[in-house]
Amino acid sequence: MKVLIVGGGGREHALGWAVSKSPELSALYTAPGNGGTAVLGENPPIDPADIESLVGFAKENSVDLTIVGPEAPLVAGIVDRFTGEGLRCFGPSALAARLEGSKVFAKQFMRRHGIPTADFEIFDDPDAAERFLDKKAPPLVVKADGLAAGKGVIVAQSREEASNAIHGIMREKKFGASGDRIVIESCLEGEEASIHAICSGEKALMLPPSQDHKRIHDGDRGPNTGGMGAYAPVPRLKDAEVSLILETVVKPTLQGMEMEGTPFKGLLYAGLMLTSEGPKVLEFNVRFGDPETQAVVPLIADDLLNVLYNASSDELQEGIAIHGDRAAATVVVASAGYPGSYEKGFVIEGLAAVDDEDRVVFHAGTAEKEGRLVTSGGRVFAVTAWAPGLEQALARAYDGIEKTRFEGAYWRKDIGYRAVQGTI
Ligand code: AMP
Ligand code: GLY
């Protein structure tokens, strides 16, 4: 089977690594890929936003299955274009991708279908949004409706912060048209976890729950990043809790989408708050999480290529993916200065010494220059390790990082601390 993966981050390398284990795979292309995916196959230099060139590439190369990493091409309708050409593509249609592409759509959808989430109001007028702050005491969460590269959510602890968020999104248009409407919702308390489910119509295969670390510094402090590490599974979410999430969140979502004539195929990612009243949805994403995917794929015993191929043709085997007693940890190594400005082009050394039967380096911002591997992004690579327990997996991941080197390398030292301390 010939497979095309769209994207070029750690998530795409992890997906490529997992599908490469399948005996069915005959060729792997990653567009545009990175230094890691170049070792697994070819990296056609096509931008994920250039849907027409991707369709052309898939046709010319008789690609059997395309797997889409990032959300933007999904929201823009890449799956509709591929299927319209008779090409098989794992991911939701543009209409189904509204679950991520529009927070207003997602919140109203959850209300229509009784899916547990925070109370909310929607505004298309900044004055009305400001007036609402007279009625509702902080803390409040202000969310831009559309895609905002993970920056469109502000948890406001005071009225002033909420007001500033409304101003920035709706009047200054910090996120462009994504801020034409906003959601203001109640602030939920609890621990956060991510659920990935491979879906096809009303069928779902639940993958091991995970938790990511979005902040740059230890103790979950400092500015948000694309994610500095992740681990799976989440100790508190045993199979019984995963079944509860399947019944109260995932199934009603799939049934609702089916009922509304926009059936969901692809990866449904629910960002959850585990509240005292049970799990509530913070957000939906319609693609694999990054870096969570890097910690989740080593725990999947099934042939992932087969699962994704079957899911894209209504033949998905439902259930909860068995992960046995394994845990996995992913620690991201970033460039100095990230998530602010940073330099590129530093030579990376030592990666070859990391890969082992229980450990792998997933590349993100790496590139080849004059035969050497150099840094080319903010998040450069991540080390993922797996073991019978999380503490061992973390120790193996950190031991792997110690073998690597590039100028200004930065990583968090406390990935997985909530699980290790027993808070989740
Ligand atoms: P989202 O993109 O909607 O998941 O929001 C990003 C982050 O904001 C989440 O991972 C949470 O940490 C936080 N967040 C979003 N909504 C809420 C909420 N209703 N209550 C508390 N925290 C929230
Ligand atoms: N790690 C969060 C995300 O992929 O959206």
Side-chain angles (χ1 to χ4, degrees), residues 103 107 118-119 141 143 150 152-155 185-189 192 212 214 224 271 273 281-285:
K103 293 202 189 284
K107 293 295 290 192
D119 293 336
V141 186
K143 301 184 172 184
V153 174
I154 295 105
V155 180
E185 65 182 45
S186 312
C187 194
L188 298 174
E189 277 179 39
E192 286 185 48
D212 71 342
K214 293 194 176 75
N224 261 331
M273 189 70 92
V281 178
L282 294 174
E283 65 165 346
F284 284 123
N285 294 317

Side-chain angles (χ1 to χ4, degrees), residues 1 3-6 11 15 19 63-71 73-74 78-80 82-83 87-93 196-201 203-205 207 264-269 285-289 293 304-316:
M1 208 185 293
V3 173
L4 167 63
I5 296 179
V6 177
R11 162 183 54 204
L15 290 170
V19 302
V63 167
D64 299 292
L65 176 68
T66 298
I67 303 165
V68 184
E71 61 275 16
L74 292 167
I78 189 170
V79 174
D80 309 75
F82 269 69
T83 45
L87 295 163
R88 192 184 288 252
C89 190
F90 178 78
S93 66
H196 284 65
I198 294 171
C199 302
S200 181
K203 291 192 232 165
L205 175 69
L207 302 183
F264 189 93
K265 258 188 202 177
L267 192 289
L268 182 69
Y269 163 138
N285 294 317
V286 298
R287 38 88 194 159
F288 285 93
T293 301
L304 187 66
L305 177 52
N306 259 327
V307 173
L308 299 181
Y309 188 83
N310 288 342
S312 58
S313 64
D314 289 327
E315 283 160 32
L316 178 70

Side-chain angles (χ1 to χ4, degrees), residues 236-405:
R236 192 192 291 179
L237 299 180
K238 308 263 185 276
D239 282 358
E241 286 76 26
V242 173
S243 294
L244 178 77
I245 295 164
L246 175 65
E247 295 310 322
T248 60
V249 172
V250 176
K251 283 277 174 174
T253 301
L254 297 178
Q255 285 157 1
M257 292 301 275
E258 188 93 27
M259 205 186 292
E260 297 192 5
T262 53
F264 189 93
K265 258 188 202 177
L267 192 289
L268 182 69
Y269 163 138
L272 303 172
M273 189 70 92
L274 307 177
T275 74
S276 54
E277 295 169 359
K280 295 192 179 185
V281 178
L282 294 174
E283 65 165 346
F284 284 123
N285 294 317
V286 298
R287 38 88 194 159
F288 285 93
D290 196 7
E292 293 95 320
T293 301
Q294 301 178 53
V296 168
V297 292
L299 303 181
I300 303 174
D302 300 324
D303 179 324
L304 187 66
L305 177 52
N306 259 327
V307 173
L308 299 181
Y309 188 83
N310 288 342
S312 58
S313 64
D314 289 327
E315 283 160 32
L316 178 70
Q317 293 284 323
E318 289 196 273
I320 297 179
I322 307 288
H323 48 79
D325 292 327
R326 266 196 199 177
T330 297
V331 182
V332 171
V333 183
S335 299
Y338 175 78
S341 59
Y342 53 83
E343 284 180 56
K344 301 179 187 178
F346 296 113
V347 173
I348 306 167
E349 289 168 318
L351 297 194
V354 178
D355 284 9
D356 214 334
E357 76 280 352
D358 60 357
R359 189 163 66 188
V360 58
V361 177
F362 291 130
H363 295 231
T366 71
E368 293 239 341
K369 195 174 155 195
E370 291 152 13
R372 305 183 82 173
L373 193 69
V374 298
T375 64
S376 68
R379 289 187 293 170
V380 178
F381 62 82
V383 174
T384 291
W386 51 96
L390 179 60
E391 282 179 67
Q392 258 173 290
L394 284 162
R396 287 286 292 158
Y398 280 113
D399 171 72
I401 290 180
E402 294 297 339
K403 298 181 190 298
T404 70
R405 226 196 80 76

